[in-house]
Amino acid sequence: MSKLKWLLPVVILVFGLSACKSTESGTATKSSSKQATVITSKNYTTAELEKRYVKIADVVMKPLEQASYKESQATIKKTATAGQTTLAQVKLELQDNNSNQVLTQALLKYLTAAQKMLTTMLGTNQAAYTAASKEFSLQSSTIAKTYFNGQLPASMVNYSKRMSGQTSSSSSAKASSTKSSASSK
């Protein structure tokens, strides 16, 4: 009988611990079925960061190109909105980068200028657009000179050449028409 008195608490303790363990494993199963947030980090090379620099510039230049070709406001707005989505993705990529922090921070600042440029492009405030455009251009140039041997993205170079070609050809056309009208008098 004395053995039974001693054995009974041991059996109760064993069953009690077993019950606790099954409750804990049930809780663990429930919590593990939820999606876990995974923190990722990248170590982009300078070349990979340069691709993001070019991508940011291309996103901004595309609606500018459309505007210069006199496409509809709806088309330009759609392109700028899609560009905002692309810039948000690039921003996440840059925020996950652990290498070359100085360039990464410069690109994040550049990205903010690009977002502002797209936003003001669709607005009616010309002064805000002009300021955003100057900031975007200044940062493009600074990043190119500081990190990429002065090399601007091709989309910016091509747009600039085309716009200066239009300006100079229209200026020379005005000059020739002024000369011809002056000589005809």
Side-chain angles (χ1 to χ4, degrees), residues 22-177:
S22 68
T23 302
E24 288 174 7
S25 67
T27 305
T29 304
K30 287 179 187 175
S31 66
S32 67
S33 66
K34 293 180 182 177
Q35 280 190 353
T37 302
V38 178
I39 299 173
T40 59
S41 63
K42 304 286 183 190
N43 288 313
Y44 294 123
T45 64
T46 302
E48 290 171 322
L49 290 170
E50 185 175 16
K51 286 179 184 178
R52 280 147 184 87
Y53 166 66
V54 169
K55 190 174 197 175
I56 293 167
D58 291 349
V59 163
V60 172
M61 297 315 294
K62 187 171 182 179
L64 284 175
E65 283 283 339
Q66 290 174 331
S68 73
Y69 285 119
K70 310 240 186 294
E71 292 197 27
S72 72
Q73 187 66 19
T75 301
I76 295 167
K77 184 176 182 175
K78 184 178 178 182
T79 302
T81 303
Q84 290 283 15
T85 304
T86 301
L87 291 178
Q89 178 61 39
V90 173
K91 184 176 185 177
L92 289 174
E93 292 171 2
L94 290 172
Q95 288 173 335
D96 290 341
N97 187 39
N98 288 330
S99 65
N100 205 342
Q101 286 298 307
V102 175
L103 174 55
T104 300
Q105 290 306 311
L107 289 174
L108 284 167
K109 185 177 176 185
Y110 180 58
L111 191 136
T112 301
Q115 289 172 322
K116 190 171 186 177
M117 176 84 174
L118 288 177
T119 301
T120 59
M121 187 183 298
L122 300 175
T124 56
N125 186 341
Q126 186 62 39
Y129 172 74
T130 302
S133 177
K134 285 180 182 177
E135 179 65 22
F136 178 76
S137 295
L138 177 66
Q139 286 190 30
S140 294
S141 177
T142 301
I143 290 173
K145 288 176 186 172
T146 306
Y147 300 102
F148 305 123
N149 297 322
Q151 187 67 40
L152 287 169
S155 60
M156 293 184 84
V157 172
N158 293 337
Y159 177 80
S160 179
K161 283 180 181 178
R162 191 171 66 75
M163 294 311 288
S164 65
Q166 284 181 353
T167 304
S168 64
S169 66
S170 63
S171 297
S172 61
K174 280 184 180 178
S176 7
S177 68

